[in-house]
Amino acid sequence: GAGVSQSPRYKVTKRGQDVALRCDPISGHVSLYWYRQALGQGPEFLTYFNYEAQQDKSGLPNDRFSAERPEGSISTLTIQRTEQRDSAMYRCASSLMAGSGTGELFFGEGSRLTVL
Amino acid sequence: DQQVKQNSPSLSVQEGRISILNCDYTNSMFDYFLWYKKYPAEGPTFLISISSIKDKNEDGRFTVFLNKSAKHLSLHIVPSQPGDSAVYFCAARSFGNEKLTFGTGTRLTIIP
């Protein structure tokens, strides 16, 4: 597609439920990133992939959070047993290749998660 | 521990004047810095970047200055236009690390 596409745009769930957030990067982009942004804060790194390989997951807050990119394109961020503190905007970004050029990341519009 | 700090939450500037947005960092391992711009209901978009081997990078109306000794960078927009009204995020990363560390953002309002 023309840009990074994320779905759902909005997700409201009850505490304890699992949620899956999807990201479809720009076609041909090798690197894919997940960030989380709380209100009034900047994006906070969660994890990133080159192709299907998860290169860095140091930003995942705990083992309830996981991400995959099985075919090197679409990625899913899964949060198990959601808690209210998980409420945030989850942003996906892609780039041609990590470490290349200006380091420009192309961000999607985000998935806003609200845990009741 | 906020490693990238934008101490001004908001800034208002008259159209046509210069806008100066500031950013400070504490991690001396950071060697690459970026500015992103964000409009409401959209994702951040890349604006300009600078490597630590430079002290200035210019792209049209936008110039980023880096003062490594002070661990400070600034974004200058001149002349400011109404379309520049947005939230601006400063970000940094260290060599070999793809993780970007963002500041909390500065909301710039250009007054016509």
Side-chain angles (χ1 to χ4, degrees):
Chain A
V4 177
S5 177
Q6 292 187 245
S7 62
R9 290 289 310 279
Y10 302 92
K11 177 70 177 179
V12 179
T13 190
K14 291 184 178 178
R15 187 179 54 186
Q17 297 294 304
D18 298 351
V19 297
L21 307 177
R22 172 191 162 116
C23 173
D24 193 351
I26 293 172
S27 178
H29 277 195
V30 168
S31 302
L32 183 148
Y33 307 76
W34 284 99
Y35 282 79
R36 175 170 71 172
Q37 186 172 11
L39 208 58
Q41 302 294 314
E44 176 189 12
F45 173 82
L46 295 177
T47 185
Y48 95 97
F49 295 81
N50 279 341
Y51 300 102
E52 73 282 358
Q54 192 170 20
Q55 300 290 331
D56 183 347
K57 56 181 182 178
S58 63
L60 295 176
N62 52 60
D63 60 8
R64 296 186 297 105
F65 287 72
S66 62
E68 61 174 11
R69 194 186 184 197
E71 296 178 2
S73 179
I74 291 169
S75 176
T76 302
L77 176 70
T78 301
I79 309 171
Q80 295 179 309
R81 305 180 303 281
T82 52
E83 301 177 4
Q84 287 184 325
R85 60 178 171 156
D86 300 333
S87 297
M89 177 72 83
Y90 288 83
R91 297 197 183 277
C92 177
S94 69
S95 69
L96 276 169
M97 171 60 101
S100 64
T102 61
E104 176 180 1
L105 303 187
F106 294 82
F107 280 88
E109 293 178 323
S111 292
R112 181 168 294 285
L113 173 66
T114 302
V115 182
L116 302 177
Chain B
D1 176 32
Q2 193 74 22
Q3 297 187 57
V4 177
K5 302 176 185 178
Q6 294 177 258
N7 292 318
S8 298
S10 62
L11 176 68
S12 294
V13 175
Q14 205 77 31
E15 181 179 359
R17 306 295 288 268
I18 183 170
S19 296
I20 300 176
L21 295 95
N22 293 303
C23 177
D24 296 291
Y25 62 96
T26 57
N27 188 339
S28 58
M29 299 300 290
F30 288 149
D31 70 342
Y32 197 80
F33 304 89
L34 306 91
W35 284 94
Y36 280 80
K37 173 180 179 179
K38 185 186 171 310
Y39 292 121
E42 295 184 9
T45 56
F46 171 78
L47 195 55
I48 193 169
S49 62
I50 188 167
S51 164
S52 60
I53 62 173
K54 295 185 174 182
D55 54 18
K56 176 183 173 181
N57 188 26
E58 191 172 349
D59 183 2
R61 297 186 298 113
F62 303 91
T63 303
V64 55
F65 295 91
L66 175 61
N67 182 334
K68 287 189 292 294
S69 60
K71 293 191 177 67
H72 176 82
L73 63 156
S74 60
L75 174 68
H76 292 211
I77 307 172
V78 55
S80 301
Q81 299 174 354
D84 296 330
S85 294
V87 177
Y88 289 78
F89 291 100
C90 172
R93 70 169 192 233
S94 52
F95 179 77
N97 189 337
E98 287 306 309
K99 167 186 169 181
L100 282 181
T101 300
F102 284 83
T104 52
T106 296
R107 181 178 300 279
L108 176 66
T109 302
I110 305 303
I111 305 165

